[in-house]
Amino acid sequence: MLSAESLQHIDTELAKYPADQRRSAVMSALRIAQAEHGWLSSELIEYVANYIGIAPVAAYEVATFYNMYDLKPVGKYKLTVCTNLPCALRGGVNTVEYLQQKLGIALGETTADGRFTLMEGECMGACGEAPVMLVNNHKMCSFMTTEAIDQKLAELN
């Protein structure tokens, strides 16, 4: 279910922990699996769990708790906007509204061309740079004015 390269990356993560604490690598292993497949199906979560030697329910608990894991297909670019109170007070809600209008989708939806998925996120620890948007769980974008959003979307096209 995973390429040899992904399994090697998981093995590298597993090597960081004592043999009796393989569960500690589950977050990294799920991230690696998601990077290869784009999202985590139930079968893929179970495969990862079996590979690292933990109960599938333990891996599923992690995958369903953290919003960085996608349990259904998402667009090529997943845009997650923080709307917690500090960001909301500094324009996070406006950022979501502008993206919804610009992309023609609601939160949790993907554009018809499969390019963008828009998500609402919890605190990203960048309150002083609000409003913030995370692209594909890796690239933090700060001070997301309408102009900054337009520029970022143009870069991603």
Side-chain angles (χ1 to χ4, degrees):
M1 241 185 152
L2 289 173
S3 67
E5 182 180 355
S6 289
L7 293 175
Q8 183 178 8
H9 288 301
I10 291 172
D11 289 341
T12 299
E13 294 301 316
L14 286 167
K16 295 177 182 179
Y17 304 101
D20 64 338
Q21 295 180 17
R22 293 175 63 90
R23 181 178 182 163
S24 298
V26 69
M27 289 185 72
S28 295
L30 290 172
R31 178 188 49 78
I32 292 163
Q34 180 170 284
E36 181 174 323
H37 285 266
W39 65 289
L40 297 173
S41 65
S42 296
E43 295 81 16
L44 186 55
I45 294 169
E46 185 173 342
Y47 177 87
V48 168
N50 289 332
Y51 186 80
I52 64 175
I54 64 172
V57 70
Y60 196 73
E61 287 170 345
V62 171
T64 58
F65 181 79
Y66 293 100
N67 67 1
M68 65 187 147
Y69 300 114
D70 301 309
L71 302 180
K72 63 180 184 175
V74 294
K76 180 177 180 181
Y77 301 106
K78 183 174 85 168
L79 309 176
T80 306
V81 179
C82 180
T83 56
N84 276 5
L85 186 57
C87 280
L89 292 173
R90 296 191 61 190
V93 174
N94 295 342
T95 298
V96 169
E97 290 171 352
Y98 183 73
L99 281 164
Q100 287 176 322
Q101 176 267 322
K102 185 91 174 164
L103 298 174
I105 57 174
L107 287 170
E109 293 182 347
T110 301
T111 56
D113 63 4
R115 293 192 56 75
F116 298 101
T117 297
L118 182 59
M119 304 295 288
E120 184 175 36
E122 291 299 317
C123 182
M124 298 176 190
C127 304
E129 299 177 10
V132 295
M133 178 176 75
L134 193 60
V135 179
N136 290 343
N137 297 328
H138 297 290
K139 172 77 171 134
M140 178 74 71
C141 303
S142 303
F143 308 109
M144 295 309 293
T145 62
T146 56
E147 295 81 12
I149 292 168
D150 290 343
Q151 181 179 350
K152 181 52 66 180
L153 292 178
E155 290 171 12
L156 297 175
N157 278 319

